[in-house]
Amino acid sequence: MKLLKLFHTLNKSERMELGKWLRSPIHNNSKGVIKLYEGVKEATRRDRVKPISHLDMLKYIGALPRNANAKDIQADHEKKLGQLIHKLTVQLKDYLIWKKVKSDDILTNQQLMEALLIRGMHDDIAPVIKQTKKRINNLSYRDVLYCERAFKLAEIEFYLNIILRNRDTDAIGKSIQEVLDTLWAYSLSNLLRYQCAAVNLEKILDTQLDYPLGTDTIAHLVRHSDNEQINIGLYYKLLKLLTNQRPEDYKELKTFLFKNLDCFETGEIRQFFSFMINFCTRMIKNRNPEFIPEKHEIYEKGLTSKCWVKNMFFSEFYFVHIVRNALLLEGKREWTANFINEYQSTLRPEVKDYVTSFCNALLAYHNRQFKEAINYLPIQEVPKDFAYFLDIKILKIKIHYDSGDWGLLPDGGYAILNELENIRHYVNRPSREIAQNIRDQYTHFVSIFGSIFNRKRRLMYPDDTHVTQTNLQNLQDKLINTSPIVERKWLEEKITELMQEVK
């Protein structure tokens, strides 16, 4: 429900402020809306995870008594509730718009100048222009939004000069030049920004897009000092990295970005860092281990910039990947433990236990504390829609295999094989919406690891001659030629260990 989704984005002070908004007769004259607000506010506390039903909301507004149940709901109840939900949702949207405008002095002034211009109050605009220009110049940000604001201010100033100083050719000429300069900076930086997004999508979707002025823009920036402007220069360097995929372009971008981090807001920094992390990941997959610490450095910079937090919660995606990457580095086990302890409370309540359990299990596994690792993993079944459902299954397999405890079952089977079969069934179920690339990664893992485990069991019998160096070399060659696949490095290590066991 949209109302509840919007409510969950509000912090405590915003919820209280919304209550004052609703009690103002200028905004709302419905007591039912206020009752619904009070009920939803209480029911969406951060420590409450129970979902809110229509029955709950009907009790909030007094349409049903507290001891009522679902069978007591009538059509007129649903109609009345639907009307109040709609009214409260509209009020909440209006509040968020007001909040956005009032929290941004420059945006407020822009709206005021446009209103004064429409009403013909031209003499009152100049002081607002002067005040706004001072605020824009004092901003530390030099991103696309800054360029847009500078352009809009120049545009209003030009309109005012046309109206009040139409005979002052110098003033008008200077004013139109300012419009052209700021428009160029805004247009070019925005064009580069979306070209970066397009190039990135081309690689992900394996498609080809058309770029208006694409080659001309790059040719201009190669020879022009525009590439020295902070926003234009950064998007230009990012575009070079995305296009060429060269380590030297990565280092150039990193140096420039780290020098100018204060010039960009958190969301934009998150995007830059995400592109850089993706590049590091590709380099690591191409067997360039020096990019593992590079990736960790980006993650640490993101922690300092607080850019891994979105909608008030730490991204579980980045949380897990920060842990995984840190565990690939020597001397980062204590850092990883501290990170999990410090940031676990910032995760979404509904995934916090699963994410922290998984990460603690990863840490214990890397410390070869196999008993602790298996104990950390959730006892209850992980929801099928949990992003790391399959990764937990694979971690269980790795723990069982590396500990030598394959999980002997009463029927004589092994828990490790059950987990392997669970993965196979999960990814190959036709009704499950899984991208083919992802499906292949896990299917290939099941196939290769199944062969490894089969050979490991055969080595338990001295008279078995089926496991030979040639046999294992063929398996290793098969792994080399298999793509995509998860846990490639671990699988390589397991084959190498088997080769060392076979004489």
Side-chain angles (χ1 to χ4, degrees):
M1 185 187 295
K2 185 179 293 185
L3 172 63
L4 300 181
K5 287 181 180 178
L6 287 170
F7 236 97
H8 278 294
T9 67
L10 303 179
N11 60 36
K12 185 177 180 180
S13 62
E14 288 171 335
R15 294 178 184 215
M16 298 298 292
E17 192 173 57
L18 175 61
K20 296 177 182 178
W21 169 283
L22 294 172
R23 289 180 176 86
S24 167
I26 296 174
H27 302 126
N28 171 57
N29 57 11
S30 169
K31 293 182 179 179
V33 167
I34 295 175
K35 288 180 180 178
L36 181 59
Y37 152 77
E38 290 289 354
V40 172
K41 181 186 72 170
E42 177 63 21
T44 55
R45 298 191 319 265
R46 293 291 184 228
D47 58 345
R48 177 183 168 123
V49 295
K50 181 184 176 182
I52 306 172
S53 67
H54 275 207
L55 177 62
D56 293 328
M57 288 190 278
L58 286 167
K59 292 178 181 179
Y60 300 155
I61 64 176
L64 287 175
R66 289 187 176 275
N67 61 353
N69 53 49
K71 67 181 182 181
D72 297 319
I73 300 176
Q74 303 295 324
D76 59 327
H77 295 143
E78 289 281 15
K79 182 178 179 180
K80 180 179 180 181
L81 178 60
Q83 291 171 343
L84 291 177
I85 289 174
H86 173 72
K87 288 181 180 180
L88 181 53
T89 302
V90 170
Q91 290 294 338
L92 181 46
K93 288 178 181 177
D94 288 344
Y95 164 74
L96 292 174
I97 294 169
W98 171 81
K99 184 83 173 173
K100 169 65 177 173
V101 174
K102 294 300 292 183
S103 65
D104 189 331
D105 291 339
I106 294 172
L107 180 57
T108 300
N109 281 0
Q110 284 178 343
Q111 299 293 322
L112 175 60
M113 287 185 285
E114 290 179 11
L116 294 174
L117 196 64
I118 291 170
R119 294 172 186 272
M121 300 176 65
H122 305 133
D123 292 333
D124 296 283
I125 298 177
V128 185
I129 289 178
K130 183 178 179 181
Q131 181 191 60
T132 308
K133 187 177 292 186
K134 183 177 180 181
R135 286 177 177 170
I136 290 176
N137 290 335
N138 287 337
L139 287 173
S140 61
Y141 293 161
R142 289 297 182 269
D143 54 6
V144 171
L145 180 59
Y146 166 84
C147 295
E148 180 184 12
R149 286 172 163 176
F151 160 63
K152 287 187 175 180
L153 181 63
E155 188 179 40
I156 290 179
E157 193 168 17
F158 169 67
Y159 291 156
L160 192 63
N161 279 328
I162 289 291
I163 295 169
L164 298 180
R165 306 172 69 182
N166 57 66
R167 297 189 178 184
D168 188 341
T169 55
D170 288 342
I172 293 176
K174 182 179 179 182
S175 184
I176 190 63
Q177 186 62 57
E178 182 69 13
V179 171
L180 291 172
D181 290 344
T182 53
L183 176 59
W184 172 247
Y186 171 49
S187 301
L188 184 55
S189 56
N190 219 18
L191 179 62
L192 286 169
R193 187 184 188 213
Y194 281 101
Q195 281 189 358
C196 289
V199 170
N200 188 56
L201 280 176
E202 280 185 338
K203 297 183 182 303
I204 295 172
L205 303 177
D206 191 24
T207 187
Q208 187 69 41
L209 301 171
D210 292 326
Y211 296 91
L213 301 176
T215 55
D216 293 333
T217 301
I218 299 302
H220 166 77
L221 289 171
V222 168
R223 63 177 185 272
H224 198 277
S225 60
D226 277 345
N227 62 34
E228 297 173 6
Q229 292 188 39
I230 292 173
N231 53 338
I232 294 173
L234 189 54
Y235 296 124
Y236 171 55
K237 289 173 175 56
L238 176 57
L239 184 58
K240 285 200 299 180
L241 174 63
L242 292 170
T243 303
N244 302 323
Q245 295 292 303
R246 299 181 304 191
E248 55 266 36
D249 293 324
Y250 171 86
K251 291 175 183 177
E252 182 185 18
L253 172 65
K254 174 186 161 184
T255 301
F256 193 86
L257 176 59
F258 282 11
K259 181 181 177 182
N260 296 292
L261 269 181
D262 292 340
C263 297
F264 296 90
E265 58 89 23
T266 304
E268 198 76 359
I269 293 172
R270 185 189 303 115
Q271 291 298 318
F272 293 137
F273 283 173
S274 295
F275 284 128
M276 295 168 73
I277 287 168
N278 290 340
F279 175 79
C280 290
T281 300
R282 283 191 288 273
M283 292 295 102
I284 294 167
K285 286 183 177 179
N286 291 334
R287 301 180 184 275
N288 288 316
E290 64 269 22
F291 279 91
I292 298 174
E294 287 286 345
K295 195 174 179 180
H296 183 76
E297 186 179 8
I298 299 298
Y299 283 137
E300 285 200 300
K301 277 288 184 182
L303 291 174
T304 304
S305 304
K306 296 182 170 60
C307 73
W308 307 132
V309 175
K310 192 173 182 180
N311 296 331
M312 297 179 290
F313 294 111
F314 202 109
S315 163
E316 56 261 30
F317 172 85
Y318 285 113
F319 194 101
V320 171
H321 283 270
I322 287 170
V323 168
R324 279 177 158 165
N325 191 74
L327 291 174
L328 298 176
L329 295 167
E330 290 295 328
K332 289 296 181 181
R333 305 289 168 81
E334 184 177 352
W335 184 95
T336 305
N338 291 336
F339 166 77
I340 295 171
N341 290 332
E342 182 177 352
Y343 289 97
Q344 60 183 337
S345 62
T346 64
L347 291 162
R348 291 187 297 129
E350 56 266 37
V351 300
K352 183 181 72 171
D353 289 343
Y354 297 120
V355 171
T356 53
S357 295
F358 178 48
C359 289
N360 277 316
L362 283 171
L363 177 58
Y365 169 78
H366 277 265
N367 287 330
R368 299 193 66 80
Q369 298 169 331
F370 299 122
K371 184 177 180 180
E372 290 82 351
I374 206 73
N375 288 336
Y376 268 123
L377 289 174
I379 297 174
Q380 70 274 28
E381 185 64 26
V382 179
K384 294 291 192 295
D385 60 350
F386 181 59
Y388 300 99
F389 174 81
L390 290 174
D391 294 339
I392 287 178
K393 297 288 185 187
I394 285 181
L395 181 55
K396 285 182 180 179
I397 288 171
K398 292 170 66 176
I399 293 169
H400 280 305
Y401 187 87
D402 286 339
S403 67
D405 180 2
W406 300 341
L408 184 63
L409 300 174
D411 62 1
Y414 294 109
I416 192 172
L417 290 178
N418 280 2
E419 298 294 352
L420 201 65
E421 197 61 23
N422 286 340
I423 295 173
R424 187 200 308 277
H425 285 305
Y426 183 84
V427 299
N428 288 319
R429 186 173 298 172
S431 62
R432 200 171 301 284
E433 295 182 1
I434 300 176
Q436 189 58 46
N437 180 61
I438 303 298
R439 198 186 299 272
D440 290 344
Q441 289 183 40
Y442 290 97
T443 300
H444 292 156
F445 172 86
V446 169
S447 175
I448 296 292
F449 179 73
S451 298
I452 290 173
F453 187 69
N454 183 50
R455 285 158 176 75
K456 181 69 173 178
R457 283 195 297 173
R458 287 182 177 277
L459 286 176
M460 296 172 61
Y461 306 101
D463 296 334
D464 196 312
T465 58
H466 288 84
V467 184
T468 64
Q469 287 289 346
T470 302
N471 180 279
L472 292 171
Q473 185 61 55
N474 290 338
L475 181 57
Q476 191 173 64
D477 293 341
K478 181 181 178 182
L479 175 58
I480 291 171
N481 295 315
T482 298
S483 183
I485 188 169
V486 295
E487 296 289 349
R488 180 183 296 277
K489 186 173 183 295
W490 183 77
L491 293 171
E492 289 174 347
E493 291 173 356
K494 299 308 110 179
I495 295 174
T496 300
E497 290 173 3
L498 289 177
M499 285 179 165
Q500 293 170 352
E501 290 185 44
V502 176
K503 298 181 181 180

